[in-house]
Amino acid sequence: CRLLALDPSAQLRTPGGAVQPVRLVPEDADVEGLIASALAARPEIAARSAGIAEAQTRVRQERVRPWLPTVSVGYSAGGFGAGTGSGDFVRPRTRTEFDAVAVWTIQGLGFGNRARTRAATADVGQAVAGYDLAVNAVRREVAEALADARAASQQSRTADVALTIAEEGFKLESDRIRQGPGRPLELIDSFRQLVEARQELLRAVLAFNAAQFRLWAALGNAPGG
């Protein structure tokens, strides 16, 4: 349930019958094509790309910061009047004022601004390095899962052939026992080989299915999707 992002209280039951291989992604697919699909779908790659774009924007901001002033704009309106000592009063008159102030700030005679630009440039390099690490991790996951799926597919085919041979051998020994000249020890040995062949095929199919699910998740798909 945890791997499939299901309700932990859910009770999972396997279907009856033999375990069948689950082929979610063709194991003969081109690895570079799968890697390209994974890079386009994996969320961490998109996040790293956004981080690079943000860091580059900060570099541009720091480069133009000394040339962009801080602008302050003010506006006021009202009236004013005056009076004389004899009691005469001059009729108030309206007034309107508009103020605009631009201030350029240079930090440390320009050296501070240069240091801020270098720090922002270093952040770009760090973001690019993180992006490369994420890309390499995705490439490794896809390549390893595809290689495991191919190896498990080959192992499954080999185990299937071995099971067919073991079934034929057990059938022949059983027929000999029924006819009389067969030996019980040879029948037991054939039965043991048959059981081992079935177990080996089961292990191969389970390994193939696990590799398929890892490959499916490495391509950016939800495990339960």
PDB file of all heavy atoms in Angstrom, residues 25-32 34-35 138-157 204 207-212 214-216 218-219:
ATOM      1  N   VAL A  25       6.480  -1.008 -19.547  1.00  0.00           N
ATOM      2  CA  VAL A  25       7.332  -0.320 -20.519  1.00  0.00           C
ATOM      3  C   VAL A  25       8.061  -1.386 -21.320  1.00  0.00           C
ATOM      4  O   VAL A  25       8.652  -2.296 -20.721  1.00  0.00           O
ATOM      5  CB  VAL A  25       8.351   0.609 -19.815  1.00  0.00           C
ATOM      6  CG1 VAL A  25       9.209   1.335 -20.847  1.00  0.00           C
ATOM      7  CG2 VAL A  25       7.638   1.611 -18.919  1.00  0.00           C
ATOM      8  N   PRO A  26       8.034  -1.305 -22.642  1.00  0.00           N
ATOM      9  CA  PRO A  26       8.764  -2.312 -23.436  1.00  0.00           C
ATOM     10  C   PRO A  26      10.244  -2.295 -23.091  1.00  0.00           C
ATOM     11  O   PRO A  26      10.886  -1.239 -23.141  1.00  0.00           O
ATOM     12  CB  PRO A  26       8.504  -1.878 -24.888  1.00  0.00           C
ATOM     13  CG  PRO A  26       7.269  -1.049 -24.825  1.00  0.00           C
ATOM     14  CD  PRO A  26       7.297  -0.357 -23.497  1.00  0.00           C
ATOM     15  N   GLU A  27      10.778  -3.465 -22.731  1.00  0.00           N
ATOM     16  CA  GLU A  27      12.196  -3.503 -22.347  1.00  0.00           C
ATOM     17  C   GLU A  27      13.140  -3.338 -23.519  1.00  0.00           C
ATOM     18  O   GLU A  27      14.349  -3.134 -23.319  1.00  0.00           O
ATOM     19  CB  GLU A  27      12.511  -4.811 -21.608  1.00  0.00           C
ATOM     20  CG  GLU A  27      12.303  -6.066 -22.417  1.00  0.00           C
ATOM     21  CD  GLU A  27      10.891  -6.589 -22.293  1.00  0.00           C
ATOM     22  OE1 GLU A  27      10.006  -5.838 -21.828  1.00  0.00           O
ATOM     23  OE2 GLU A  27      10.662  -7.752 -22.669  1.00  0.00           O
ATOM     24  N   ASP A  28      12.611  -3.404 -24.759  1.00  0.00           N
ATOM     25  CA  ASP A  28      13.461  -3.174 -25.923  1.00  0.00           C
ATOM     26  C   ASP A  28      13.412  -1.723 -26.391  1.00  0.00           C
ATOM     27  O   ASP A  28      13.910  -1.400 -27.463  1.00  0.00           O
ATOM     28  CB  ASP A  28      13.055  -4.101 -27.074  1.00  0.00           C
ATOM     29  CG  ASP A  28      11.589  -3.924 -27.463  1.00  0.00           C
ATOM     30  OD1 ASP A  28      10.850  -3.234 -26.723  1.00  0.00           O
ATOM     31  OD2 ASP A  28      11.178  -4.478 -28.499  1.00  0.00           O
ATOM     32  N   ALA A  29      12.833  -0.843 -25.564  1.00  0.00           N
ATOM     33  CA  ALA A  29      12.748   0.573 -25.927  1.00  0.00           C
ATOM     34  C   ALA A  29      14.135   1.210 -25.890  1.00  0.00           C
ATOM     35  O   ALA A  29      15.050   0.741 -25.195  1.00  0.00           O
ATOM     36  CB  ALA A  29      11.806   1.307 -24.985  1.00  0.00           C
ATOM     37  N   ASP A  30      14.291   2.298 -26.647  1.00  0.00           N
ATOM     38  CA  ASP A  30      15.567   3.010 -26.692  1.00  0.00           C
ATOM     39  C   ASP A  30      15.793   3.739 -25.375  1.00  0.00           C
ATOM     40  O   ASP A  30      14.911   4.470 -24.887  1.00  0.00           O
ATOM     41  CB  ASP A  30      15.565   4.009 -27.851  1.00  0.00           C
ATOM     42  CG  ASP A  30      16.859   4.800 -27.916  1.00  0.00           C
ATOM     43  OD1 ASP A  30      17.934   4.206 -28.103  1.00  0.00           O
ATOM     44  OD2 ASP A  30      16.792   6.036 -27.767  1.00  0.00           O
ATOM     45  N   VAL A  31      16.948   3.547 -24.787  1.00  0.00           N
ATOM     46  CA  VAL A  31      17.215   4.127 -23.471  1.00  0.00           C
ATOM     47  C   VAL A  31      17.249   5.650 -23.529  1.00  0.00           C
ATOM     48  O   VAL A  31      16.766   6.330 -22.606  1.00  0.00           O
ATOM     49  CB  VAL A  31      18.536   3.562 -22.901  1.00  0.00           C
ATOM     50  CG1 VAL A  31      19.719   3.946 -23.777  1.00  0.00           C
ATOM     51  CG2 VAL A  31      18.747   4.053 -21.467  1.00  0.00           C
ATOM     52  N   GLU A  32      17.792   6.234 -24.602  1.00  0.00           N
ATOM     53  CA  GLU A  32      17.858   7.693 -24.684  1.00  0.00           C
ATOM     54  C   GLU A  32      16.462   8.289 -24.812  1.00  0.00           C
ATOM     55  O   GLU A  32      16.184   9.367 -24.269  1.00  0.00           O
ATOM     56  CB  GLU A  32      18.733   8.115 -25.862  1.00  0.00           C
ATOM     57  CG  GLU A  32      20.213   7.796 -25.675  1.00  0.00           C
ATOM     58  CD  GLU A  32      20.809   8.510 -24.475  1.00  0.00           C
ATOM     59  OE1 GLU A  32      20.318   9.619 -24.137  1.00  0.00           O
ATOM     60  OE2 GLU A  32      21.750   7.969 -23.869  1.00  0.00           O
ATOM     61  N   LEU A  34      13.739   6.983 -23.506  1.00  0.00           N
ATOM     62  CA  LEU A  34      13.152   6.900 -22.181  1.00  0.00           C
ATOM     63  C   LEU A  34      13.718   7.967 -21.252  1.00  0.00           C
ATOM     64  O   LEU A  34      12.982   8.558 -20.443  1.00  0.00           O
ATOM     65  CB  LEU A  34      13.397   5.510 -21.592  1.00  0.00           C
ATOM     66  CG  LEU A  34      12.708   4.340 -22.299  1.00  0.00           C
ATOM     67  CD1 LEU A  34      13.068   3.024 -21.608  1.00  0.00           C
ATOM     68  CD2 LEU A  34      11.193   4.530 -22.327  1.00  0.00           C
ATOM     69  N   ILE A  35      15.004   8.221 -21.359  1.00  0.00           N
ATOM     70  CA  ILE A  35      15.617   9.252 -20.515  1.00  0.00           C
ATOM     71  C   ILE A  35      15.042  10.619 -20.849  1.00  0.00           C
ATOM     72  O   ILE A  35      14.755  11.435 -19.954  1.00  0.00           O
ATOM     73  CB  ILE A  35      17.147   9.239 -20.682  1.00  0.00           C
ATOM     74  CG1 ILE A  35      17.730   7.965 -20.047  1.00  0.00           C
ATOM     75  CG2 ILE A  35      17.778  10.472 -20.053  1.00  0.00           C
ATOM     76  CD1 ILE A  35      19.210   7.795 -20.272  1.00  0.00           C
ATOM     77  N   VAL A 138      18.578  10.936 -12.646  1.00  0.00           N
ATOM     78  CA  VAL A 138      17.461  10.408 -13.438  1.00  0.00           C
ATOM     79  C   VAL A 138      17.975   9.470 -14.524  1.00  0.00           C
ATOM     80  O   VAL A 138      17.413   8.390 -14.758  1.00  0.00           O
ATOM     81  CB  VAL A 138      16.646  11.563 -14.046  1.00  0.00           C
ATOM     82  CG1 VAL A 138      15.622  11.041 -15.060  1.00  0.00           C
ATOM     83  CG2 VAL A 138      15.930  12.337 -12.954  1.00  0.00           C
ATOM     84  N   ARG A 139      19.044   9.866 -15.196  1.00  0.00           N
ATOM     85  CA  ARG A 139      19.612   9.010 -16.238  1.00  0.00           C
ATOM     86  C   ARG A 139      20.051   7.666 -15.657  1.00  0.00           C
ATOM     87  O   ARG A 139      19.820   6.614 -16.254  1.00  0.00           O
ATOM     88  CB  ARG A 139      20.798   9.706 -16.908  1.00  0.00           C
ATOM     89  CG  ARG A 139      20.444  10.943 -17.724  1.00  0.00           C
ATOM     90  CD  ARG A 139      21.704  11.545 -18.349  1.00  0.00           C
ATOM     91  NE  ARG A 139      22.297  10.603 -19.284  1.00  0.00           N
ATOM     92  CZ  ARG A 139      22.000  10.556 -20.585  1.00  0.00           C
ATOM     93  NH1 ARG A 139      21.116  11.396 -21.082  1.00  0.00           N
ATOM     94  NH2 ARG A 139      22.585   9.680 -21.379  1.00  0.00           N
ATOM     95  N   ARG A 140      20.678   7.710 -14.483  1.00  0.00           N
ATOM     96  CA  ARG A 140      21.146   6.471 -13.858  1.00  0.00           C
ATOM     97  C   ARG A 140      19.965   5.591 -13.459  1.00  0.00           C
ATOM     98  O   ARG A 140      19.986   4.370 -13.685  1.00  0.00           O
ATOM     99  CB  ARG A 140      21.992   6.805 -12.633  1.00  0.00           C
ATOM    100  CG  ARG A 140      22.570   5.567 -11.952  1.00  0.00           C
ATOM    101  CD  ARG A 140      23.522   5.962 -10.840  1.00  0.00           C
ATOM    102  NE  ARG A 140      22.884   6.756  -9.805  1.00  0.00           N
ATOM    103  CZ  ARG A 140      23.047   8.056  -9.654  1.00  0.00           C
ATOM    104  NH1 ARG A 140      23.837   8.728 -10.468  1.00  0.00           N
ATOM    105  NH2 ARG A 140      22.433   8.716  -8.686  1.00  0.00           N
ATOM    106  N   GLU A 141      18.924   6.188 -12.882  1.00  0.00           N
ATOM    107  CA  GLU A 141      17.760   5.391 -12.463  1.00  0.00           C
ATOM    108  C   GLU A 141      17.088   4.724 -13.656  1.00  0.00           C
ATOM    109  O   GLU A 141      16.735   3.541 -13.604  1.00  0.00           O
ATOM    110  CB  GLU A 141      16.761   6.289 -11.730  1.00  0.00           C
ATOM    111  CG  GLU A 141      17.240   6.772 -10.377  1.00  0.00           C
ATOM    112  CD  GLU A 141      16.238   7.690  -9.725  1.00  0.00           C
ATOM    113  OE1 GLU A 141      15.088   7.748 -10.211  1.00  0.00           O
ATOM    114  OE2 GLU A 141      16.593   8.360  -8.740  1.00  0.00           O
ATOM    115  N   VAL A 142      16.898   5.482 -14.741  1.00  0.00           N
ATOM    116  CA  VAL A 142      16.237   4.919 -15.919  1.00  0.00           C
ATOM    117  C   VAL A 142      17.093   3.825 -16.541  1.00  0.00           C
ATOM    118  O   VAL A 142      16.593   2.737 -16.885  1.00  0.00           O
ATOM    119  CB  VAL A 142      15.931   6.030 -16.943  1.00  0.00           C
ATOM    120  CG1 VAL A 142      15.397   5.437 -18.241  1.00  0.00           C
ATOM    121  CG2 VAL A 142      14.922   7.024 -16.376  1.00  0.00           C
ATOM    122  N   ALA A 143      18.389   4.081 -16.691  1.00  0.00           N
ATOM    123  CA  ALA A 143      19.271   3.095 -17.320  1.00  0.00           C
ATOM    124  C   ALA A 143      19.358   1.818 -16.485  1.00  0.00           C
ATOM    125  O   ALA A 143      19.315   0.702 -17.023  1.00  0.00           O
ATOM    126  CB  ALA A 143      20.662   3.694 -17.528  1.00  0.00           C
ATOM    127  N   GLU A 144      19.481   1.950 -15.165  1.00  0.00           N
ATOM    128  CA  GLU A 144      19.578   0.767 -14.310  1.00  0.00           C
ATOM    129  C   GLU A 144      18.272  -0.030 -14.314  1.00  0.00           C
ATOM    130  O   GLU A 144      18.287  -1.262 -14.390  1.00  0.00           O
ATOM    131  CB  GLU A 144      19.940   1.190 -12.892  1.00  0.00           C
ATOM    132  CG  GLU A 144      21.369   1.696 -12.750  1.00  0.00           C
ATOM    133  CD  GLU A 144      21.691   2.128 -11.329  1.00  0.00           C
ATOM    134  OE1 GLU A 144      20.744   2.136 -10.500  1.00  0.00           O
ATOM    135  OE2 GLU A 144      22.852   2.463 -11.052  1.00  0.00           O
ATOM    136  N   ALA A 145      17.135   0.679 -14.244  1.00  0.00           N
ATOM    137  CA  ALA A 145      15.849  -0.031 -14.246  1.00  0.00           C
ATOM    138  C   ALA A 145      15.620  -0.731 -15.580  1.00  0.00           C
ATOM    139  O   ALA A 145      15.110  -1.861 -15.622  1.00  0.00           O
ATOM    140  CB  ALA A 145      14.712   0.949 -13.952  1.00  0.00           C
ATOM    141  N   LEU A 146      16.008  -0.094 -16.688  1.00  0.00           N
ATOM    142  CA  LEU A 146      15.845  -0.730 -17.997  1.00  0.00           C
ATOM    143  C   LEU A 146      16.764  -1.938 -18.125  1.00  0.00           C
ATOM    144  O   LEU A 146      16.345  -2.988 -18.653  1.00  0.00           O
ATOM    145  CB  LEU A 146      16.140   0.284 -19.100  1.00  0.00           C
ATOM    146  CG  LEU A 146      15.975  -0.226 -20.540  1.00  0.00           C
ATOM    147  CD1 LEU A 146      14.545  -0.686 -20.790  1.00  0.00           C
ATOM    148  CD2 LEU A 146      16.368   0.858 -21.544  1.00  0.00           C
ATOM    149  N   ALA A 147      17.995  -1.817 -17.644  1.00  0.00           N
ATOM    150  CA  ALA A 147      18.918  -2.958 -17.693  1.00  0.00           C
ATOM    151  C   ALA A 147      18.397  -4.115 -16.845  1.00  0.00           C
ATOM    152  O   ALA A 147      18.479  -5.280 -17.251  1.00  0.00           O
ATOM    153  CB  ALA A 147      20.305  -2.523 -17.218  1.00  0.00           C
ATOM    154  N   ASP A 148      17.846  -3.799 -15.657  1.00  0.00           N
ATOM    155  CA  ASP A 148      17.280  -4.857 -14.810  1.00  0.00           C
ATOM    156  C   ASP A 148      16.087  -5.518 -15.490  1.00  0.00           C
ATOM    157  O   ASP A 148      15.907  -6.746 -15.394  1.00  0.00           O
ATOM    158  CB  ASP A 148      16.856  -4.269 -13.466  1.00  0.00           C
ATOM    159  CG  ASP A 148      18.051  -3.845 -12.623  1.00  0.00           C
ATOM    160  OD1 ASP A 148      19.175  -4.296 -12.922  1.00  0.00           O
ATOM    161  OD2 ASP A 148      17.861  -3.056 -11.673  1.00  0.00           O
ATOM    162  N   ALA A 149      15.253  -4.721 -16.158  1.00  0.00           N
ATOM    163  CA  ALA A 149      14.093  -5.291 -16.844  1.00  0.00           C
ATOM    164  C   ALA A 149      14.527  -6.197 -17.987  1.00  0.00           C
ATOM    165  O   ALA A 149      13.948  -7.274 -18.194  1.00  0.00           O
ATOM    166  CB  ALA A 149      13.194  -4.165 -17.366  1.00  0.00           C
ATOM    167  N   ARG A 150      15.537  -5.779 -18.734  1.00  0.00           N
ATOM    168  CA  ARG A 150      16.030  -6.623 -19.829  1.00  0.00           C
ATOM    169  C   ARG A 150      16.637  -7.918 -19.294  1.00  0.00           C
ATOM    170  O   ARG A 150      16.390  -9.003 -19.850  1.00  0.00           O
ATOM    171  CB  ARG A 150      17.057  -5.843 -20.642  1.00  0.00           C
ATOM    172  CG  ARG A 150      16.452  -4.712 -21.476  1.00  0.00           C
ATOM    173  CD  ARG A 150      17.536  -3.907 -22.171  1.00  0.00           C
ATOM    174  NE  ARG A 150      16.957  -2.895 -23.045  1.00  0.00           N
ATOM    175  CZ  ARG A 150      17.664  -1.979 -23.708  1.00  0.00           C
ATOM    176  NH1 ARG A 150      18.997  -1.966 -23.575  1.00  0.00           N
ATOM    177  NH2 ARG A 150      17.063  -1.094 -24.486  1.00  0.00           N
ATOM    178  N   ALA A 151      17.434  -7.819 -18.231  1.00  0.00           N
ATOM    179  CA  ALA A 151      18.050  -9.019 -17.663  1.00  0.00           C
ATOM    180  C   ALA A 151      16.991  -9.962 -17.093  1.00  0.00           C
ATOM    181  O   ALA A 151      17.063 -11.188 -17.277  1.00  0.00           O
ATOM    182  CB  ALA A 151      19.053  -8.627 -16.582  1.00  0.00           C
ATOM    183  N   ALA A 152      15.983  -9.381 -16.405  1.00  0.00           N
ATOM    184  CA  ALA A 152      14.931 -10.223 -15.847  1.00  0.00           C
ATOM    185  C   ALA A 152      14.085 -10.863 -16.937  1.00  0.00           C
ATOM    186  O   ALA A 152      13.624 -11.999 -16.795  1.00  0.00           O
ATOM    187  CB  ALA A 152      14.051  -9.395 -14.914  1.00  0.00           C
ATOM    188  N   SER A 153      13.886 -10.149 -18.042  1.00  0.00           N
ATOM    189  CA  SER A 153      13.133 -10.726 -19.157  1.00  0.00           C
ATOM    190  C   SER A 153      13.870 -11.918 -19.757  1.00  0.00           C
ATOM    191  O   SER A 153      13.266 -12.968 -20.032  1.00  0.00           O
ATOM    192  CB  SER A 153      12.894  -9.656 -20.229  1.00  0.00           C
ATOM    193  OG  SER A 153      12.215 -10.193 -21.338  1.00  0.00           O
ATOM    194  N   GLN A 154      15.197 -11.762 -19.934  1.00  0.00           N
ATOM    195  CA  GLN A 154      15.988 -12.874 -20.448  1.00  0.00           C
ATOM    196  C   GLN A 154      15.991 -14.044 -19.459  1.00  0.00           C
ATOM    197  O   GLN A 154      15.860 -15.211 -19.853  1.00  0.00           O
ATOM    198  CB  GLN A 154      17.424 -12.399 -20.720  1.00  0.00           C
ATOM    199  CG  GLN A 154      18.345 -13.482 -21.244  1.00  0.00           C
ATOM    200  CD  GLN A 154      17.889 -14.027 -22.592  1.00  0.00           C
ATOM    201  OE1 GLN A 154      17.393 -13.285 -23.429  1.00  0.00           O
ATOM    202  NE2 GLN A 154      18.040 -15.337 -22.798  1.00  0.00           N
ATOM    203  N   GLN A 155      16.112 -13.722 -18.179  1.00  0.00           N
ATOM    204  CA  GLN A 155      16.092 -14.773 -17.159  1.00  0.00           C
ATOM    205  C   GLN A 155      14.746 -15.487 -17.138  1.00  0.00           C
ATOM    206  O   GLN A 155      14.673 -16.704 -16.943  1.00  0.00           O
ATOM    207  CB  GLN A 155      16.386 -14.164 -15.793  1.00  0.00           C
ATOM    208  CG  GLN A 155      16.490 -15.186 -14.673  1.00  0.00           C
ATOM    209  CD  GLN A 155      16.775 -14.519 -13.336  1.00  0.00           C
ATOM    210  OE1 GLN A 155      16.843 -13.304 -13.230  1.00  0.00           O
ATOM    211  NE2 GLN A 155      16.940 -15.337 -12.299  1.00  0.00           N
ATOM    212  N   SER A 156      13.669 -14.745 -17.340  1.00  0.00           N
ATOM    213  CA  SER A 156      12.342 -15.355 -17.356  1.00  0.00           C
ATOM    214  C   SER A 156      12.181 -16.310 -18.532  1.00  0.00           C
ATOM    215  O   SER A 156      11.619 -17.408 -18.379  1.00  0.00           O
ATOM    216  CB  SER A 156      11.274 -14.253 -17.414  1.00  0.00           C
ATOM    217  OG  SER A 156       9.988 -14.805 -17.488  1.00  0.00           O
ATOM    218  N   ARG A 157      12.686 -15.898 -19.700  1.00  0.00           N
ATOM    219  CA  ARG A 157      12.606 -16.798 -20.851  1.00  0.00           C
ATOM    220  C   ARG A 157      13.431 -18.068 -20.626  1.00  0.00           C
ATOM    221  O   ARG A 157      13.004 -19.179 -20.972  1.00  0.00           O
ATOM    222  CB  ARG A 157      13.071 -16.062 -22.107  1.00  0.00           C
ATOM    223  CG  ARG A 157      12.097 -14.996 -22.588  1.00  0.00           C
ATOM    224  CD  ARG A 157      12.460 -14.511 -23.981  1.00  0.00           C
ATOM    225  NE  ARG A 157      13.745 -13.835 -23.986  1.00  0.00           N
ATOM    226  CZ  ARG A 157      13.887 -12.518 -23.851  1.00  0.00           C
ATOM    227  NH1 ARG A 157      12.812 -11.745 -23.680  1.00  0.00           N
ATOM    228  NH2 ARG A 157      15.074 -11.957 -23.878  1.00  0.00           N
ATOM    229  N   ALA A 204      12.030 -15.186 -11.341  1.00  0.00           N
ATOM    230  CA  ALA A 204      12.337 -14.379 -12.517  1.00  0.00           C
ATOM    231  C   ALA A 204      11.179 -13.446 -12.874  1.00  0.00           C
ATOM    232  O   ALA A 204      11.385 -12.275 -13.214  1.00  0.00           O
ATOM    233  CB  ALA A 204      12.673 -15.294 -13.699  1.00  0.00           C
ATOM    234  N   ALA A 207      11.046 -10.636 -10.306  1.00  0.00           N
ATOM    235  CA  ALA A 207      12.128  -9.677 -10.558  1.00  0.00           C
ATOM    236  C   ALA A 207      11.808  -8.804 -11.762  1.00  0.00           C
ATOM    237  O   ALA A 207      12.091  -7.592 -11.761  1.00  0.00           O
ATOM    238  CB  ALA A 207      13.446 -10.423 -10.764  1.00  0.00           C
ATOM    239  N   PHE A 208      11.224  -9.386 -12.790  1.00  0.00           N
ATOM    240  CA  PHE A 208      10.846  -8.612 -13.971  1.00  0.00           C
ATOM    241  C   PHE A 208       9.777  -7.586 -13.626  1.00  0.00           C
ATOM    242  O   PHE A 208       9.859  -6.418 -14.041  1.00  0.00           O
ATOM    243  CB  PHE A 208      10.339  -9.556 -15.058  1.00  0.00           C
ATOM    244  CG  PHE A 208       9.820  -8.849 -16.279  1.00  0.00           C
ATOM    245  CD1 PHE A 208      10.693  -8.325 -17.224  1.00  0.00           C
ATOM    246  CD2 PHE A 208       8.456  -8.691 -16.483  1.00  0.00           C
ATOM    247  CE1 PHE A 208      10.222  -7.663 -18.348  1.00  0.00           C
ATOM    248  CE2 PHE A 208       7.974  -8.029 -17.599  1.00  0.00           C
ATOM    249  CZ  PHE A 208       8.863  -7.519 -18.536  1.00  0.00           C
ATOM    250  N   ASN A 209       8.771  -7.993 -12.866  1.00  0.00           N
ATOM    251  CA  ASN A 209       7.713  -7.059 -12.487  1.00  0.00           C
ATOM    252  C   ASN A 209       8.250  -5.924 -11.622  1.00  0.00           C
ATOM    253  O   ASN A 209       7.865  -4.750 -11.786  1.00  0.00           O
ATOM    254  CB  ASN A 209       6.597  -7.799 -11.752  1.00  0.00           C
ATOM    255  CG  ASN A 209       5.828  -8.744 -12.659  1.00  0.00           C
ATOM    256  OD1 ASN A 209       5.927  -8.655 -13.882  1.00  0.00           O
ATOM    257  ND2 ASN A 209       5.072  -9.656 -12.066  1.00  0.00           N
ATOM    258  N   ALA A 210       9.138  -6.251 -10.685  1.00  0.00           N
ATOM    259  CA  ALA A 210       9.730  -5.207  -9.839  1.00  0.00           C
ATOM    260  C   ALA A 210      10.545  -4.226 -10.672  1.00  0.00           C
ATOM    261  O   ALA A 210      10.482  -3.005 -10.459  1.00  0.00           O
ATOM    262  CB  ALA A 210      10.601  -5.845  -8.760  1.00  0.00           C
ATOM    263  N   ALA A 211      11.320  -4.727 -11.640  1.00  0.00           N
ATOM    264  CA  ALA A 211      12.098  -3.850 -12.514  1.00  0.00           C
ATOM    265  C   ALA A 211      11.185  -2.987 -13.379  1.00  0.00           C
ATOM    266  O   ALA A 211      11.482  -1.806 -13.630  1.00  0.00           O
ATOM    267  CB  ALA A 211      13.036  -4.683 -13.391  1.00  0.00           C
ATOM    268  N   GLN A 212      10.072  -3.539 -13.817  1.00  0.00           N
ATOM    269  CA  GLN A 212       9.124  -2.770 -14.605  1.00  0.00           C
ATOM    270  C   GLN A 212       8.524  -1.623 -13.793  1.00  0.00           C
ATOM    271  O   GLN A 212       8.394  -0.494 -14.282  1.00  0.00           O
ATOM    272  CB  GLN A 212       8.008  -3.684 -15.123  1.00  0.00           C
ATOM    273  CG  GLN A 212       8.400  -4.513 -16.339  1.00  0.00           C
ATOM    274  CD  GLN A 212       8.431  -3.691 -17.608  1.00  0.00           C
ATOM    275  OE1 GLN A 212       7.652  -2.756 -17.795  1.00  0.00           O
ATOM    276  NE2 GLN A 212       9.342  -4.028 -18.505  1.00  0.00           N
ATOM    277  N   ARG A 214       9.920  -0.173 -11.180  1.00  0.00           N
ATOM    278  CA  ARG A 214      10.978   0.819 -10.957  1.00  0.00           C
ATOM    279  C   ARG A 214      11.173   1.677 -12.201  1.00  0.00           C
ATOM    280  O   ARG A 214      11.352   2.903 -12.107  1.00  0.00           O
ATOM    281  CB  ARG A 214      12.286   0.115 -10.586  1.00  0.00           C
ATOM    282  CG  ARG A 214      12.316  -0.444  -9.170  1.00  0.00           C
ATOM    283  CD  ARG A 214      13.746  -0.730  -8.738  1.00  0.00           C
ATOM    284  NE  ARG A 214      14.389  -1.675  -9.637  1.00  0.00           N
ATOM    285  CZ  ARG A 214      14.352  -2.997  -9.484  1.00  0.00           C
ATOM    286  NH1 ARG A 214      13.700  -3.518  -8.462  1.00  0.00           N
ATOM    287  NH2 ARG A 214      14.969  -3.803 -10.318  1.00  0.00           N
ATOM    288  N   LEU A 215      11.134   1.058 -13.371  1.00  0.00           N
ATOM    289  CA  LEU A 215      11.278   1.801 -14.610  1.00  0.00           C
ATOM    290  C   LEU A 215      10.095   2.748 -14.809  1.00  0.00           C
ATOM    291  O   LEU A 215      10.263   3.889 -15.241  1.00  0.00           O
ATOM    292  CB  LEU A 215      11.409   0.841 -15.793  1.00  0.00           C
ATOM    293  CG  LEU A 215      11.572   1.461 -17.174  1.00  0.00           C
ATOM    294  CD1 LEU A 215      12.790   2.362 -17.221  1.00  0.00           C
ATOM    295  CD2 LEU A 215      11.675   0.367 -18.244  1.00  0.00           C
ATOM    296  N   TRP A 216       8.908   2.269 -14.489  1.00  0.00           N
ATOM    297  CA  TRP A 216       7.700   3.095 -14.616  1.00  0.00           C
ATOM    298  C   TRP A 216       7.798   4.329 -13.729  1.00  0.00           C
ATOM    299  O   TRP A 216       7.478   5.451 -14.148  1.00  0.00           O
ATOM    300  CB  TRP A 216       6.488   2.251 -14.240  1.00  0.00           C
ATOM    301  CG  TRP A 216       5.178   2.961 -14.278  1.00  0.00           C
ATOM    302  CD1 TRP A 216       4.457   3.440 -13.226  1.00  0.00           C
ATOM    303  CD2 TRP A 216       4.387   3.259 -15.440  1.00  0.00           C
ATOM    304  NE1 TRP A 216       3.303   4.013 -13.639  1.00  0.00           N
ATOM    305  CE2 TRP A 216       3.219   3.920 -15.003  1.00  0.00           C
ATOM    306  CE3 TRP A 216       4.566   3.033 -16.798  1.00  0.00           C
ATOM    307  CZ2 TRP A 216       2.239   4.357 -15.874  1.00  0.00           C
ATOM    308  CZ3 TRP A 216       3.577   3.474 -17.664  1.00  0.00           C
ATOM    309  CH2 TRP A 216       2.433   4.127 -17.222  1.00  0.00           C
ATOM    310  N   ALA A 218      10.636   5.613 -12.524  1.00  0.00           N
ATOM    311  CA  ALA A 218      11.780   6.418 -12.956  1.00  0.00           C
ATOM    312  C   ALA A 218      11.418   7.330 -14.126  1.00  0.00           C
ATOM    313  O   ALA A 218      12.041   8.388 -14.321  1.00  0.00           O
ATOM    314  CB  ALA A 218      12.948   5.515 -13.353  1.00  0.00           C
ATOM    315  N   LEU A 219      10.419   6.958 -14.902  1.00  0.00           N
ATOM    316  CA  LEU A 219       9.984   7.780 -16.037  1.00  0.00           C
ATOM    317  C   LEU A 219       9.098   8.931 -15.603  1.00  0.00           C
ATOM    318  O   LEU A 219       8.646   9.713 -16.440  1.00  0.00           O
ATOM    319  CB  LEU A 219       9.237   6.922 -17.062  1.00  0.00           C
ATOM    320  CG  LEU A 219      10.082   5.873 -17.788  1.00  0.00           C
ATOM    321  CD1 LEU A 219       9.229   5.061 -18.750  1.00  0.00           C
ATOM    322  CD2 LEU A 219      11.245   6.523 -18.525  1.00  0.00           C
TER     323      LEU A 219
END
